[in-house]
Amino acid sequence: MNGGPPRVLVIANQKGGVGKTTTAINLGTALAAVGQSTLVVDLDPQGNASTGLGVERAHRKVTSYDVLMGDASFAQAIMPTRIPNLSLVPSTVDLSGAELELIGFTERNYRLKEAFAAFVAGAPGRFAYVLIDCPPSLSLLTVNAMAAADAVVVPLQCEFFALEGLSQLLRTVERVRANLNPALEIQGIVLTMFDKRNRLSDQVAADVRKHMGDKVFKTVIPRNVRISEAPSHGLPALVYDLRCPGSQAYIKLAGEMIQRERLGSAA
Ligand code: ADP
Ligand code: MG
């Protein structure tokens, strides 16, 4: 991975509140902590990844919106965070207008891909991983992310309709693969907010594993109040409370992901 282009992972699920942003922030922090230079791209107008990484609105000078509109280069939008090895392309609420404005461009699905490709051409080894945090929809923003990415990571909350939501997402990935990005893979499914006292959680997890096999990460992220407290301090959970079960799970997930990536590239 050293010196080569980064591995670009989209964190997507059309449902809100399933742990996309939490996964982008904490997986990003865990990867950075083991020396993998990582970039989080905030592609959600809510800007939760930016806030959770401690970047206040006033400091978001150049954003993912400017990049999509062609008003700034990708490189110009990259800023450091207070976490060593972890950078951010921030977003603001401006991005909520992007859906409509993008329709005016002929290559509307490839805006992010093209901006990103220009950056990688100039600095191929700058990052090992790029994690794109998506809004809770399968809109043009998510499609732009999927068109630019190598693989999709799906955070899935173990609740009643989880599998239905998952099949809708998988159909979108199929469509993107057929029309925009034939190389797009499903990198993995992360079970989030797992509650071991809840029998439904267990049952849904077993169902997801039955349908998706080893696409589902062995590491499960438990429901843990420390994880939900961290963003209001502008800190990843890993920095807010390294020892809590949620942080430990994200560290394990990063290890499993790196191993999976190595096996993948060896194949
Ligand atoms: P999404 O980006 O998919 O909308 P978030 O990552 O923002 O979801 O998570 C939704 C809410 O749940 C947030 O308040 C977040 O802090 C909280 N949360 C996420 N993961 C966990 C967890 N493992 N344990 C407890 N709370 C969590
Ligand atoms: Mg989010």
Side-chain angles (χ1 to χ4, degrees):
M1 193 144 293
N2 288 343
R7 183 80 172 155
V8 183
L9 304 175
V10 197
I11 305 191
N13 186 324
Q14 71 276 18
K15 250 200 109 196
V18 297
K20 288 181 291 297
T21 301
T22 303
T23 298
I25 291 173
N26 289 293
L27 182 62
T29 302
L31 289 168
V34 294
Q36 306 280 333
S37 180
T38 299
L39 173 69
V40 171
V41 178
D42 192 345
L43 212 60
D44 184 346
Q46 293 179 84
N48 294 340
S50 309
T51 310
L53 284 168
V55 177
E56 286 160 29
R57 242 145 253 252
H59 294 130
R60 300 176 203 169
K61 297 276 191 296
V62 181
T63 67
S64 51
Y65 172 79
D66 302 317
V67 173
L68 286 169
M69 291 302 122
D71 294 333
S73 71
F74 195 89
Q76 286 172 316
I78 298 173
M79 59 184 297
T81 69
R82 51 178 104 164
I83 317 298
N85 264 338
L86 187 66
S87 300
L88 171 73
V89 169
S91 87
T92 58
V93 73
D94 285 348
L95 191 58
S96 58
E99 294 282 343
L100 273 177
E101 292 173 70
L102 279 170
I103 294 173
F105 292 102
T106 44
E107 295 287 335
R108 65 184 73 98
N109 296 307
Y110 291 117
R111 300 292 296 175
L112 185 66
K113 183 188 171 81
E114 280 170 11
F116 182 67
F119 164 71
V120 172
R126 173 71 185 80
F127 296 108
Y129 285 97
V130 176
L131 306 178
I132 309 177
D133 186 29
C134 288
S137 68
L138 298 172
S139 64
L140 215 37
L141 289 172
T142 300
V143 169
N144 259 267
M146 288 185 181
D150 297 308
V152 185
V153 174
V154 186
L156 198 73
Q157 202 182 335
C158 294
E159 59 187 359
F160 193 60
F161 288 113
L163 270 175
E164 272 177 39
L166 182 61
S167 45
Q168 194 188 352
L169 178 65
L170 295 179
R171 280 197 297 278
T172 301
V173 172
E174 255 336 300
R175 222 173 305 132
V176 169
R177 207 182 275 152
N179 298 308
L180 303 172
N181 181 4
L184 187 69
E185 305 169 283
I186 302 286
Q187 205 264 1
I189 295 164
V190 185
L191 301 177
T192 59
M193 287 182 248
F194 188 81
D195 183 355
K196 60 175 185 260
R197 288 162 307 183
N198 179 343
R199 289 181 58 190
L200 181 64
S201 261
D202 261 333
Q203 200 180 323
V204 173
D207 270 2
V208 174
R209 288 192 194 280
K210 194 169 109 204
H211 281 84
M212 300 303 297
D214 51 15
K215 283 285 174 203
V216 186
F217 284 101
K218 291 199 184 75
T219 309
V220 170
I221 311 297
R223 185 176 283 285
N224 181 189
V225 66
R226 303 297 274 170
I227 289 192
S228 57
E229 289 167 3
S232 64
H233 300 269
L235 292 172
L238 264 75
V239 176
Y240 178 64
D241 184 351
L242 176 64
R243 288 171 187 278
C244 75
S247 295
Q248 291 297 312
Y250 274 109
I251 291 170
K252 246 178 97 184
L253 179 68
E256 196 183 344
M257 188 169 282
I258 290 170
Q259 196 179 22
R260 193 177 271 210
E261 293 288 323
R262 289 201 180 123
L263 290 175
S265 59

mmCIF file of all heavy atoms in Angstrom, residues 6-47:
data_model
loop_
_atom_site.group_PDB
_atom_site.id
_atom_site.type_symbol
_atom_site.label_atom_id
_atom_site.label_comp_id
_atom_site.label_asym_id
_atom_site.label_seq_id
_atom_site.Cartn_x
_atom_site.Cartn_y
_atom_site.Cartn_z
ATOM 1 N N PRO A 6 -4.404 5.410 -2.847
ATOM 2 C CA PRO A 6 -5.119 4.990 -1.636
ATOM 3 C C PRO A 6 -6.230 4.011 -1.958
ATOM 4 O O PRO A 6 -6.681 3.914 -3.091
ATOM 5 C CB PRO A 6 -5.715 6.301 -1.125
ATOM 6 C CG PRO A 6 -5.849 7.163 -2.330
ATOM 7 C CD PRO A 6 -4.709 6.794 -3.235
ATOM 8 N N ARG A 7 -6.642 3.312 -0.952
ATOM 9 C CA ARG A 7 -7.823 2.466 -1.031
ATOM 10 C C ARG A 7 -9.011 3.343 -0.633
ATOM 11 O O ARG A 7 -9.017 3.935 0.466
ATOM 12 C CB ARG A 7 -7.615 1.307 -0.062
ATOM 13 C CG ARG A 7 -8.690 0.318 -0.063
ATOM 14 C CD ARG A 7 -8.585 -0.640 -1.221
ATOM 15 N NE ARG A 7 -9.588 -1.667 -0.988
ATOM 16 C CZ ARG A 7 -10.142 -2.392 -1.940
ATOM 17 N NH1 ARG A 7 -9.800 -2.238 -3.204
ATOM 18 N NH2 ARG A 7 -11.041 -3.298 -1.638
ATOM 19 N N VAL A 8 -9.985 3.430 -1.513
ATOM 20 C CA VAL A 8 -11.099 4.353 -1.278
ATOM 21 C C VAL A 8 -12.355 3.570 -0.887
ATOM 22 O O VAL A 8 -12.849 2.742 -1.666
ATOM 23 C CB VAL A 8 -11.382 5.215 -2.530
ATOM 24 C CG1 VAL A 8 -12.500 6.218 -2.241
ATOM 25 C CG2 VAL A 8 -10.117 5.930 -2.978
ATOM 26 N N LEU A 9 -12.819 3.796 0.321
ATOM 27 C CA LEU A 9 -13.976 3.064 0.849
ATOM 28 C C LEU A 9 -15.136 4.023 1.093
ATOM 29 O O LEU A 9 -14.960 5.062 1.735
ATOM 30 C CB LEU A 9 -13.598 2.383 2.170
ATOM 31 C CG LEU A 9 -12.389 1.440 2.120
ATOM 32 C CD1 LEU A 9 -12.044 0.932 3.517
ATOM 33 C CD2 LEU A 9 -12.649 0.267 1.177
ATOM 34 N N VAL A 10 -16.308 3.693 0.550
ATOM 35 C CA VAL A 10 -17.509 4.498 0.808
ATOM 36 C C VAL A 10 -18.248 3.894 1.973
ATOM 37 O O VAL A 10 -18.500 2.682 1.983
ATOM 38 C CB VAL A 10 -18.556 4.396 -0.326
ATOM 39 C CG1 VAL A 10 -19.551 5.529 -0.237
ATOM 40 C CG2 VAL A 10 -17.944 4.278 -1.647
ATOM 41 N N ILE A 11 -18.623 4.710 2.919
ATOM 42 C CA ILE A 11 -19.399 4.216 4.052
ATOM 43 C C ILE A 11 -20.849 4.601 3.798
ATOM 44 O O ILE A 11 -21.211 5.781 3.880
ATOM 45 C CB ILE A 11 -18.841 4.792 5.356
ATOM 46 C CG1 ILE A 11 -17.355 4.411 5.373
ATOM 47 C CG2 ILE A 11 -19.611 4.251 6.556
ATOM 48 C CD1 ILE A 11 -16.643 4.628 6.627
ATOM 49 N N ALA A 12 -21.640 3.617 3.412
ATOM 50 C CA ALA A 12 -22.984 3.938 2.924
ATOM 51 C C ALA A 12 -24.059 3.062 3.539
ATOM 52 O O ALA A 12 -23.841 1.881 3.814
ATOM 53 C CB ALA A 12 -23.025 3.803 1.395
ATOM 54 N N ASN A 13 -25.178 3.682 3.774
ATOM 55 C CA ASN A 13 -26.421 3.004 4.126
ATOM 56 C C ASN A 13 -27.475 4.092 4.038
ATOM 57 O O ASN A 13 -27.283 5.179 4.598
ATOM 58 C CB ASN A 13 -26.358 2.416 5.544
ATOM 59 C CG ASN A 13 -27.586 1.581 5.872
ATOM 60 O OD1 ASN A 13 -28.704 1.893 5.451
ATOM 61 N ND2 ASN A 13 -27.399 0.526 6.636
ATOM 62 N N GLN A 14 -28.543 3.839 3.291
ATOM 63 C CA GLN A 14 -29.549 4.893 3.072
ATOM 64 C C GLN A 14 -30.336 5.225 4.331
ATOM 65 O O GLN A 14 -31.089 6.185 4.365
ATOM 66 C CB GLN A 14 -30.491 4.511 1.912
ATOM 67 C CG GLN A 14 -31.449 3.379 2.211
ATOM 68 C CD GLN A 14 -30.828 1.998 2.014
ATOM 69 O OE1 GLN A 14 -29.603 1.845 1.968
ATOM 70 N NE2 GLN A 14 -31.662 0.983 1.931
ATOM 71 N N LYS A 15 -30.172 4.383 5.362
ATOM 72 C CA LYS A 15 -30.836 4.685 6.634
ATOM 73 C C LYS A 15 -29.984 5.626 7.468
ATOM 74 O O LYS A 15 -28.757 5.472 7.503
ATOM 75 C CB LYS A 15 -31.050 3.390 7.412
ATOM 76 C CG LYS A 15 -32.510 3.013 7.471
ATOM 77 C CD LYS A 15 -32.856 2.073 8.563
ATOM 78 C CE LYS A 15 -33.646 2.814 9.593
ATOM 79 N NZ LYS A 15 -33.748 2.155 10.855
ATOM 80 N N GLY A 16 -30.619 6.554 8.141
ATOM 81 C CA GLY A 16 -29.894 7.438 9.049
ATOM 82 C C GLY A 16 -29.736 6.768 10.401
ATOM 83 O O GLY A 16 -30.496 5.854 10.750
ATOM 84 N N GLY A 17 -28.749 7.200 11.144
ATOM 85 C CA GLY A 17 -28.603 6.744 12.519
ATOM 86 C C GLY A 17 -28.137 5.318 12.686
ATOM 87 O O GLY A 17 -28.373 4.701 13.721
ATOM 88 N N VAL A 18 -27.462 4.768 11.676
ATOM 89 C CA VAL A 18 -26.999 3.377 11.781
ATOM 90 C C VAL A 18 -25.513 3.266 12.133
ATOM 91 O O VAL A 18 -24.995 2.163 12.288
ATOM 92 C CB VAL A 18 -27.280 2.582 10.484
ATOM 93 C CG1 VAL A 18 -28.773 2.492 10.217
ATOM 94 C CG2 VAL A 18 -26.538 3.170 9.288
ATOM 95 N N GLY A 19 -24.837 4.410 12.205
ATOM 96 C CA GLY A 19 -23.421 4.369 12.591
ATOM 97 C C GLY A 19 -22.440 4.643 11.455
ATOM 98 O O GLY A 19 -21.247 4.357 11.597
ATOM 99 N N LYS A 20 -22.913 5.249 10.362
ATOM 100 C CA LYS A 20 -21.993 5.579 9.264
ATOM 101 C C LYS A 20 -20.910 6.553 9.724
ATOM 102 O O LYS A 20 -19.709 6.304 9.564
ATOM 103 C CB LYS A 20 -22.742 6.245 8.091
ATOM 104 C CG LYS A 20 -23.615 5.331 7.290
ATOM 105 C CD LYS A 20 -24.287 6.069 6.135
ATOM 106 C CE LYS A 20 -25.327 7.072 6.566
ATOM 107 N NZ LYS A 20 -26.481 6.496 7.260
ATOM 108 N N THR A 21 -21.370 7.678 10.260
ATOM 109 C CA THR A 21 -20.424 8.723 10.645
ATOM 110 C C THR A 21 -19.510 8.251 11.774
ATOM 111 O O THR A 21 -18.296 8.497 11.759
ATOM 112 C CB THR A 21 -21.206 9.991 11.050
ATOM 113 O OG1 THR A 21 -21.998 10.395 9.926
ATOM 114 C CG2 THR A 21 -20.278 11.112 11.454
ATOM 115 N N THR A 22 -20.097 7.552 12.738
ATOM 116 C CA THR A 22 -19.309 7.021 13.852
ATOM 117 C C THR A 22 -18.226 6.073 13.333
ATOM 118 O O THR A 22 -17.092 6.086 13.821
ATOM 119 C CB THR A 22 -20.251 6.285 14.828
ATOM 120 O OG1 THR A 22 -21.263 7.208 15.243
ATOM 121 C CG2 THR A 22 -19.517 5.754 16.028
ATOM 122 N N THR A 23 -18.587 5.285 12.330
ATOM 123 C CA THR A 23 -17.619 4.359 11.746
ATOM 124 C C THR A 23 -16.545 5.117 10.967
ATOM 125 O O THR A 23 -15.353 4.812 11.091
ATOM 126 C CB THR A 23 -18.354 3.325 10.853
ATOM 127 O OG1 THR A 23 -19.255 2.582 11.690
ATOM 128 C CG2 THR A 23 -17.380 2.380 10.179
ATOM 129 N N ALA A 24 -16.950 6.131 10.195
ATOM 130 C CA ALA A 24 -15.957 6.918 9.451
ATOM 131 C C ALA A 24 -14.939 7.533 10.416
ATOM 132 O O ALA A 24 -13.723 7.444 10.210
ATOM 133 C CB ALA A 24 -16.650 8.004 8.627
ATOM 134 N N ILE A 25 -15.437 8.122 11.485
ATOM 135 C CA ILE A 25 -14.564 8.823 12.434
ATOM 136 C C ILE A 25 -13.646 7.842 13.170
ATOM 137 O O ILE A 25 -12.430 8.043 13.256
ATOM 138 C CB ILE A 25 -15.405 9.610 13.468
ATOM 139 C CG1 ILE A 25 -16.108 10.797 12.794
ATOM 140 C CG2 ILE A 25 -14.541 10.087 14.635
ATOM 141 C CD1 ILE A 25 -17.081 11.529 13.710
ATOM 142 N N ASN A 26 -14.229 6.785 13.690
ATOM 143 C CA ASN A 26 -13.449 5.912 14.578
ATOM 144 C C ASN A 26 -12.612 4.886 13.832
ATOM 145 O O ASN A 26 -11.494 4.579 14.252
ATOM 146 C CB ASN A 26 -14.366 5.264 15.609
ATOM 147 C CG ASN A 26 -14.840 6.304 16.603
ATOM 148 O OD1 ASN A 26 -14.053 6.842 17.376
ATOM 149 N ND2 ASN A 26 -16.122 6.647 16.539
ATOM 150 N N LEU A 27 -13.119 4.399 12.729
ATOM 151 C CA LEU A 27 -12.283 3.541 11.886
ATOM 152 C C LEU A 27 -11.132 4.370 11.330
ATOM 153 O O LEU A 27 -9.977 3.924 11.309
ATOM 154 C CB LEU A 27 -13.141 2.951 10.764
ATOM 155 C CG LEU A 27 -12.445 2.001 9.816
ATOM 156 C CD1 LEU A 27 -11.923 0.780 10.561
ATOM 157 C CD2 LEU A 27 -13.408 1.567 8.701
ATOM 158 N N GLY A 28 -11.443 5.594 10.912
ATOM 159 C CA GLY A 28 -10.396 6.494 10.414
ATOM 160 C C GLY A 28 -9.331 6.737 11.472
ATOM 161 O O GLY A 28 -8.130 6.678 11.192
ATOM 162 N N THR A 29 -9.756 6.993 12.686
ATOM 163 C CA THR A 29 -8.815 7.254 13.783
ATOM 164 C C THR A 29 -7.975 6.006 14.077
ATOM 165 O O THR A 29 -6.758 6.095 14.296
ATOM 166 C CB THR A 29 -9.570 7.688 15.050
ATOM 167 O OG1 THR A 29 -10.332 8.852 14.728
ATOM 168 C CG2 THR A 29 -8.629 8.014 16.196
ATOM 169 N N ALA A 30 -8.626 4.846 14.061
ATOM 170 C CA ALA A 30 -7.908 3.600 14.344
ATOM 171 C C ALA A 30 -6.887 3.296 13.246
ATOM 172 O O ALA A 30 -5.758 2.881 13.535
ATOM 173 C CB ALA A 30 -8.892 2.440 14.491
ATOM 174 N N LEU A 31 -7.252 3.536 12.003
ATOM 175 C CA LEU A 31 -6.304 3.302 10.896
ATOM 176 C C LEU A 31 -5.128 4.274 11.015
ATOM 177 O O LEU A 31 -3.963 3.892 10.861
ATOM 178 C CB LEU A 31 -7.008 3.472 9.543
ATOM 179 C CG LEU A 31 -8.010 2.372 9.162
ATOM 180 C CD1 LEU A 31 -8.857 2.809 7.951
ATOM 181 C CD2 LEU A 31 -7.297 1.058 8.841
ATOM 182 N N ALA A 32 -5.441 5.539 11.321
ATOM 183 C CA ALA A 32 -4.387 6.549 11.464
ATOM 184 C C ALA A 32 -3.437 6.167 12.604
ATOM 185 O O ALA A 32 -2.219 6.335 12.500
ATOM 186 C CB ALA A 32 -5.009 7.919 11.717
ATOM 187 N N ALA A 33 -4.014 5.629 13.679
ATOM 188 C CA ALA A 33 -3.209 5.299 14.857
ATOM 189 C C ALA A 33 -2.200 4.186 14.580
ATOM 190 O O ALA A 33 -1.173 4.106 15.249
ATOM 191 C CB ALA A 33 -4.121 4.904 16.022
ATOM 192 N N VAL A 34 -2.504 3.326 13.628
ATOM 193 C CA VAL A 34 -1.527 2.275 13.299
ATOM 194 C C VAL A 34 -0.668 2.677 12.094
ATOM 195 O O VAL A 34 -0.075 1.829 11.423
ATOM 196 C CB VAL A 34 -2.188 0.890 13.072
ATOM 197 C CG1 VAL A 34 -2.792 0.389 14.370
ATOM 198 C CG2 VAL A 34 -3.234 0.916 11.963
ATOM 199 N N GLY A 35 -0.625 3.978 11.827
ATOM 200 C CA GLY A 35 0.328 4.481 10.843
ATOM 201 C C GLY A 35 -0.171 4.526 9.411
ATOM 202 O O GLY A 35 0.602 4.799 8.498
ATOM 203 N N GLN A 36 -1.470 4.267 9.226
ATOM 204 C CA GLN A 36 -2.039 4.343 7.876
ATOM 205 C C GLN A 36 -2.581 5.763 7.687
ATOM 206 O O GLN A 36 -3.594 6.124 8.296
ATOM 207 C CB GLN A 36 -3.192 3.335 7.715
ATOM 208 C CG GLN A 36 -2.839 1.900 8.054
ATOM 209 C CD GLN A 36 -2.113 1.209 6.922
ATOM 210 O OE1 GLN A 36 -2.273 1.540 5.751
ATOM 211 N NE2 GLN A 36 -1.271 0.250 7.269
ATOM 212 N N SER A 37 -1.914 6.533 6.867
ATOM 213 C CA SER A 37 -2.371 7.895 6.636
ATOM 214 C C SER A 37 -3.769 7.861 6.019
ATOM 215 O O SER A 37 -3.986 7.225 4.986
ATOM 216 C CB SER A 37 -1.373 8.595 5.714
ATOM 217 O OG SER A 37 -1.807 9.900 5.478
ATOM 218 N N THR A 38 -4.713 8.520 6.682
ATOM 219 C CA THR A 38 -6.124 8.352 6.306
ATOM 220 C C THR A 38 -6.807 9.696 6.118
ATOM 221 O O THR A 38 -6.508 10.665 6.811
ATOM 222 C CB THR A 38 -6.841 7.503 7.392
ATOM 223 O OG1 THR A 38 -6.220 6.225 7.469
ATOM 224 C CG2 THR A 38 -8.315 7.319 7.088
ATOM 225 N N LEU A 39 -7.724 9.727 5.152
ATOM 226 C CA LEU A 39 -8.517 10.922 4.868
ATOM 227 C C LEU A 39 -9.995 10.577 5.015
ATOM 228 O O LEU A 39 -10.459 9.599 4.429
ATOM 229 C CB LEU A 39 -8.251 11.395 3.433
ATOM 230 C CG LEU A 39 -9.123 12.543 2.918
ATOM 231 C CD1 LEU A 39 -8.797 13.847 3.634
ATOM 232 C CD2 LEU A 39 -8.962 12.730 1.407
ATOM 233 N N VAL A 40 -10.710 11.357 5.805
ATOM 234 C CA VAL A 40 -12.161 11.232 5.873
ATOM 235 C C VAL A 40 -12.760 12.332 4.994
ATOM 236 O O VAL A 40 -12.420 13.501 5.144
ATOM 237 C CB VAL A 40 -12.671 11.373 7.325
ATOM 238 C CG1 VAL A 40 -14.197 11.462 7.363
ATOM 239 C CG2 VAL A 40 -12.194 10.196 8.177
ATOM 240 N N VAL A 41 -13.622 11.936 4.061
ATOM 241 C CA VAL A 41 -14.314 12.915 3.226
ATOM 242 C C VAL A 41 -15.757 13.001 3.714
ATOM 243 O O VAL A 41 -16.489 12.007 3.678
ATOM 244 C CB VAL A 41 -14.286 12.497 1.739
ATOM 245 C CG1 VAL A 41 -15.067 13.500 0.884
ATOM 246 C CG2 VAL A 41 -12.846 12.377 1.238
ATOM 247 N N ASP A 42 -16.139 14.170 4.197
ATOM 248 C CA ASP A 42 -17.498 14.370 4.691
ATOM 249 C C ASP A 42 -18.387 14.737 3.508
ATOM 250 O O ASP A 42 -18.266 15.818 2.941
ATOM 251 C CB ASP A 42 -17.500 15.484 5.747
ATOM 252 C CG ASP A 42 -18.811 15.545 6.518
ATOM 253 O OD1 ASP A 42 -19.801 14.928 6.061
ATOM 254 O OD2 ASP A 42 -18.847 16.199 7.580
ATOM 255 N N LEU A 43 -19.258 13.806 3.132
ATOM 256 C CA LEU A 43 -20.140 14.046 1.987
ATOM 257 C C LEU A 43 -21.604 14.124 2.433
ATOM 258 O O LEU A 43 -22.515 13.872 1.665
ATOM 259 C CB LEU A 43 -19.939 12.924 0.949
ATOM 260 C CG LEU A 43 -20.118 13.309 -0.517
ATOM 261 C CD1 LEU A 43 -19.145 14.401 -0.930
ATOM 262 C CD2 LEU A 43 -19.947 12.103 -1.419
ATOM 263 N N ASP A 44 -21.790 14.457 3.706
ATOM 264 C CA ASP A 44 -23.144 14.616 4.240
ATOM 265 C C ASP A 44 -23.341 16.089 4.606
ATOM 266 O O ASP A 44 -22.536 16.648 5.362
ATOM 267 C CB ASP A 44 -23.311 13.724 5.487
ATOM 268 C CG ASP A 44 -24.738 13.768 6.036
ATOM 269 O OD1 ASP A 44 -25.515 14.661 5.649
ATOM 270 O OD2 ASP A 44 -25.057 12.899 6.868
ATOM 271 N N PRO A 45 -24.403 16.726 4.061
ATOM 272 C CA PRO A 45 -24.656 18.141 4.388
ATOM 273 C C PRO A 45 -24.772 18.411 5.896
ATOM 274 O O PRO A 45 -24.578 19.536 6.335
ATOM 275 C CB PRO A 45 -25.993 18.430 3.694
ATOM 276 C CG PRO A 45 -26.148 17.376 2.666
ATOM 277 C CD PRO A 45 -25.401 16.172 3.137
ATOM 278 N N GLN A 46 -25.089 17.368 6.654
ATOM 279 C CA GLN A 46 -25.185 17.569 8.113
ATOM 280 C C GLN A 46 -23.827 17.831 8.743
ATOM 281 O O GLN A 46 -23.750 18.333 9.869
ATOM 282 C CB GLN A 46 -25.810 16.350 8.769
ATOM 283 C CG GLN A 46 -27.260 16.142 8.385
ATOM 284 C CD GLN A 46 -27.830 14.893 9.044
ATOM 285 O OE1 GLN A 46 -28.260 14.935 10.192
ATOM 286 N NE2 GLN A 46 -27.795 13.793 8.320
ATOM 287 N N GLY A 47 -22.767 17.449 8.053
ATOM 288 C CA GLY A 47 -21.418 17.751 8.536
ATOM 289 C C GLY A 47 -21.060 17.098 9.863
ATOM 290 O O GLY A 47 -20.198 17.596 10.592
#
